Amino acid sequence: MEAVEGARRSGPLGAGQVFEWWKFRGSSRGSIVWLRLPLPRPIPEVDVRAAVTELVTRHEALRSTVGYDERGMPRQVVHPPGEREVFLGREPYGLTGDEIAAWVDRFDFDVERHWPCWGLLLHADDGDVAELVLFFSHVSMDAVGTLLLHDELAELLLARWERRPHRLPPVRRHLLDAVALDSSPELDAERAEAERYWAAELRAAPSRLFGSTPHTSFRLYAGTIVSTTAPEVLAAAARRYRTTPAALYSAVVTILLAILSGADRSVLRFHYHGRGPAEEGVVGCFHRILFTSLDVSDRAPLGKLVRRAATQILRAQRQYRIGWDRLAELEAAEIRRRGTGFAWGSTVNFGVSDEYERLCLRGDYGPATLDGLPEPEIMLNPREISDNDTGMDAYLMVRIGRDSMHVQGGFNGNILLPGEMEVLLRGPERVLRQALRQHDLSFAELVEVATGIAGQLRPPGCWLGNHLTDLDQLRKLLEEHPDVRAAYPRVEPTPDGERLVAFLAVGDTGPGPAELRDFVLARIGPTAAVTCPEHFVTYARPPLDRDEPAAWRALPRLAEGTGLRRAARAATGDRELALHRAVTRFTGATEVSMAGTYLETTGRLLVVPAILRALADEGYTGLLPDDFVRPVSLAQLATELTAPPPGDGPGR
């Protein structure tokens, strides 16, 4: 941590901030969190603006931007109070949530130029402010932080109304100071243990649960369910299984995902606040999105699976001291080993009110009412078609209070059928209600619950260990190569298990196995259920029966390495040199092999945006930060750069 430009302070981004910063990458594509505060009575605008200014003065996180040091590493820079005025727009009172969201979308937020706090004043007819909405960059603020600010802002506004000093205590610790404590050498052992834990978890986790389309556009479905009985059911079931409502709900969703996919091992991502004693009460962003995988191969009953899943979730939460960049590097190494990408999959964001949490702890909920209640209504509607480069299946935002549970879901309509979406919305409460009625549920009964909602379950896919492969999609991808006349991928038994083999007709001088492997690896990603074959068998021509392995094997094979590498390298020389210069400059590596992947060569993700800026300065575009995580060589990345027009390069 250091002072810059006089009154400014700067320091590295925290482990929880890096993920959100990577999503922004200096644009408005990242996440924004809201704080919406209806006022008990209209308050003059001058008082509301003064209260917001005081709030921003109190907390450094609300006046920080992202800068970069001379090595290209991102740093958060704290600006002194009063250097800028917080932007507060003005609109009439009564805007809906969708209208406010549309207003936010028009705000061209940039983490490098703008303070991470701005807002909207909703005016009553008399001109005073009836409601205040504040927006924060997720790089600087998480959900816990917004709750802290909500209470502070309410006190600041009340003090203005009553014309008295506020009663807030001094700020105990700022975001920069908490990040410094989290980065201290005393926690090195915890960080090393977390790294070992997540490397093992990535090795065990399935890369995806569902087959997917080869393109990135997806139909977003929005689903909502409101249940007035779920709070009692969840509290009673949590007591029964001796776990928390959050762990129980996430466990049931994980089990339902396994049933819907037919997988022997399920996986689910979940939000974790990432706050220890050093971060307690600190306004800032510390949250992590962690994952847990669950082995269901023994088809155990619900109680056993819940205990297994809850234990896994608690283990994952204890190992939260790992930055997103390091976790991404471990995931990239596993992608390279498997030859297939990881889909983002499904996420549960579970939140409970303080009142509900107190009631559960005290055991104030009586036995849940299990019979004679109507099913809550589900609203499930297709929304816009947009780009999805993460392989998202579902996102469930769960908020539970004393009297009701609200679940808002976002679903990828290219992955999940409407019946499967309904299972994820309606299934958890129905499973727990039936389990309370019967004391427990067998796995077969869990399948019956899911089938009763979805109508029918999809047939199981082609599993190779812990990753799912769509052989038809792989065939189409292989036949996209200009020299491949026909392809036939298949899974073959071996003494050690199974392996994926591809039979290909490539002509007498077509590509060899090395080029074919590079071709496939360059096209795998989170949105396609494609795995790179372990073995390529090449032939000059295809057999008459292209779907019969014996017909392929009857043909004379090309010798290993006979094929000529057809990649057009002559035109990429300047692009390779430009990429080599930028990588060497910001990674500090003395030797950079263009034949290796970026992470194998350097292992420093945080400087990737600086590398891209240096390339852009020379006129080279076409790559995104996520491209540097892909299991392809730097030479391959160079071929994907768009070169500047002749005469437009540096020094010309």
Side-chain angles (χ1 to χ4, degrees):
M1 202 164 38
E2 62 190 29
V4 294
E5 297 185 24
R8 296 185 185 182
R9 293 204 304 156
S10 75
L13 296 177
Q17 296 178 271
V18 170
F19 171 64
E20 300 298 338
W21 162 77
W22 185 267
K23 287 195 296 183
F24 269 103
R25 298 188 290 259
S27 74
S28 59
R29 293 173 57 188
S31 301
I32 303 297
V33 292
W34 296 16
L35 187 164
R36 192 168 183 176
L37 185 65
L39 304 181
R41 64 186 68 83
I43 296 178
E45 181 175 326
V46 63
D47 288 331
V48 175
R49 288 184 176 274
V52 172
T53 299
E54 192 159 7
L55 189 74
V56 172
T57 299
R58 280 175 57 82
H59 297 287
E60 292 183 349
L62 304 184
R63 41 189 168 85
S64 299
T65 56
V66 176
Y68 300 88
D69 63 17
E70 67 281 356
R71 300 169 300 154
M73 295 288 284
R75 297 178 69 81
Q76 50 190 326
V77 179
V78 179
H79 298 257
E83 182 181 285
R84 306 179 190 178
E85 184 177 348
V86 178
F87 175 78
L88 296 174
R90 303 173 81 254
E91 294 288 345
Y93 177 71
L95 292 187
T96 66
D98 287 343
E99 290 171 329
I100 294 175
W103 186 89
V104 175
D105 288 341
R106 294 196 299 269
F107 191 86
D108 187 21
F109 177 75
D110 188 320
V111 295
E112 298 176 13
R113 295 186 293 113
H114 298 132
W115 281 14
C117 172
W118 67 103
L120 185 59
L121 306 177
L122 301 181
H123 284 263
D125 293 338
D126 61 4
D128 287 344
V129 178
E131 185 174 5
L132 170 63
V133 188
L134 289 182
F135 310 99
F136 309 99
S137 158
H138 218 338
V139 177
S140 298
M141 192 62 52
D142 58 21
V144 175
T146 60
L147 294 176
L148 296 171
L149 292 178
H150 180 281
D151 293 343
E152 287 197 13
L153 189 57
E155 165 60 19
L156 290 171
L157 288 168
L158 183 61
R160 288 275 167 182
W161 176 260
E162 296 178 350
R163 303 304 173 192
R164 60 168 173 80
H166 69 72
R167 297 166 184 159
L168 297 174
V171 174
R172 181 174 70 92
R173 183 172 291 136
H174 289 289
L175 175 58
L176 267 184
D177 305 308
V179 169
L181 289 172
D182 185 59
S183 306
S184 65
E186 288 81 1
L187 297 175
D188 284 347
E190 288 187 34
R191 282 188 284 271
E193 182 184 354
E195 189 168 316
R196 289 191 295 270
Y197 173 86
W198 290 111
E201 280 295 291
L202 284 164
R203 182 64 65 99
S207 53
R208 69 186 67 247
L209 292 179
F210 302 95
S212 54
T213 54
H215 46 80
T216 60
S217 65
F218 80 117
R219 178 71 142 197
L220 175 66
Y221 276 73
T224 303
I225 185 170
V226 179
S227 171
T228 58
T229 57
E232 287 187 358
V233 170
L234 199 57
R239 286 200 306 271
R240 163 78 58 82
Y241 294 114
R242 298 183 179 181
T243 187
T244 65
L248 176 60
Y249 188 94
S250 298
V252 175
V253 171
T254 310
I255 295 166
L256 291 172
L257 286 169
I259 291 170
L260 292 175
S261 64
D264 285 338
R265 195 174 191 94
S266 184
V267 65
L268 179 74
R269 297 180 189 262
F270 62 93
H271 285 248
Y272 179 60
H273 57 72
R275 289 172 180 260
E279 298 87 9
E280 190 69 30
V282 178
V283 168
C285 180
F286 301 98
H287 82 144
R288 314 291 206 277
I289 297 181
L290 306 176
F291 69 89
T292 183
S293 60
L294 177 66
D295 185 358
V296 300
S297 59
D298 60 353
R299 302 304 190 251
L302 176 64
K304 187 174 182 179
L305 291 177
V306 164
R307 288 190 292 272
R308 189 181 297 170
T311 300
Q312 284 292 100
I313 289 171
L314 292 174
R315 284 176 182 164
Q317 291 175 346
R318 284 197 296 267
Q319 303 294 343
Y320 72 92
R321 291 195 186 277
I322 186 169
W324 170 85
D325 53 318
R326 185 57 189 143
L327 195 56
E329 291 162 7
L330 293 173
E331 184 175 304
E334 183 63 18
I335 289 172
R336 181 75 171 179
R337 187 188 72 82
R338 296 188 192 190
T340 189
F342 276 85
W344 187 258
S346 299
T347 304
V348 166
N349 185 339
F350 192 95
V352 301
S353 69
D354 291 341
E355 183 183 22
Y356 182 75
E357 195 166 30
R358 287 194 299 270
L359 290 170
C360 289
L361 288 173
R362 293 203 307 256
D364 285 1
Y365 278 114
T369 304
L370 302 176
D371 298 305
L373 295 172
E375 286 274 5
E377 183 181 353
I378 283 181
M379 297 178 62
L380 189 63
N381 302 304
R383 300 289 288 273
E384 73 272 11
I385 293 177
S386 59
D387 288 337
N388 169 39
D389 58 2
T390 66
M392 163 203 156
D393 298 338
Y395 189 99
L396 300 175
M397 175 87 74
V398 185
R399 294 296 179 262
I400 186 166
R402 178 191 181 100
D403 301 317
S404 64
M405 181 176 77
H406 295 244
V407 183
Q408 291 181 300
F411 304 97
N412 188 342
N414 283 2
I415 302 290
L416 299 175
L417 299 172
E420 294 169 328
M421 302 175 196
E422 189 172 343
V423 169
L424 296 178
L425 288 170
R426 197 186 295 282
E429 182 180 356
R430 188 177 291 187
V431 163
L432 295 176
R433 184 185 297 279
Q434 189 167 329
L436 289 170
R437 193 180 296 125
Q438 299 179 204
H439 186 69
D440 203 5
L441 292 181
S442 68
F443 195 85
E445 289 170 322
L446 289 168
V447 173
E448 286 180 10
V449 173
T451 306
I453 299 173
Q456 63 179 17
L457 302 181
R458 65 176 68 194
C462 176
W463 287 90
L464 288 166
N466 51 6
H467 47 282
L468 180 68
T469 293
D470 186 327
L471 295 179
D472 288 336
Q473 197 167 309
L474 176 58
R475 180 206 293 258
K476 292 175 183 177
L477 186 151
L478 289 165
E479 291 179 348
E480 289 176 6
H481 192 290
D483 295 323
V484 173
R485 303 176 186 180
Y488 176 57
R490 70 187 299 262
V491 178
E492 291 189 336
T494 70
D496 299 324
E498 295 177 322
R499 70 171 181 173
L500 183 59
V501 178
F503 298 94
L504 302 117
V506 297
D508 294 321
T509 58
E515 182 178 341
L516 290 165
R517 184 170 291 104
D518 288 346
F519 179 83
V520 175
L521 288 175
R523 287 157 180 79
I524 69 169
T527 60
V530 169
T531 300
C532 184
E534 295 177 55
H535 190 54
F536 293 88
V537 186
T538 54
Y539 302 86
R541 66 183 188 280
L544 293 177
D545 188 351
R546 301 185 180 191
D547 293 329
E548 177 52 53
W552 284 91
R553 294 192 184 281
L555 297 174
R557 294 171 51 177
L558 293 176
E560 186 80 16
T562 298
L564 301 177
R565 295 185 66 80
R566 295 292 188 88
R569 298 297 298 276
T572 67
D574 289 345
R575 285 177 277 177
E576 280 199 24
L577 288 174
L579 182 57
H580 187 278
R581 280 194 302 271
V583 169
T584 303
R585 172 184 171 189
F586 289 107
T587 63
T590 55
E591 294 184 10
V592 173
S593 170
M594 300 300 287
T597 69
Y598 173 76
L599 289 177
E600 288 171 342
T601 302
T602 68
R604 296 184 64 195
L605 275 181
L606 296 188
V607 298
V608 166
I611 291 172
L612 293 176
R613 284 196 301 273
L615 288 168
D617 289 342
E618 294 192 43
Y620 294 96
T621 58
L623 291 178
L624 296 172
D626 287 337
D627 289 322
F628 287 75
V629 188
R630 291 163 51 205
V632 298
S633 67
L634 286 169
Q636 171 63 37
L637 289 183
T639 68
E640 299 173 21
L641 281 171
T642 301
D648 287 353
R652 295 177 182 172

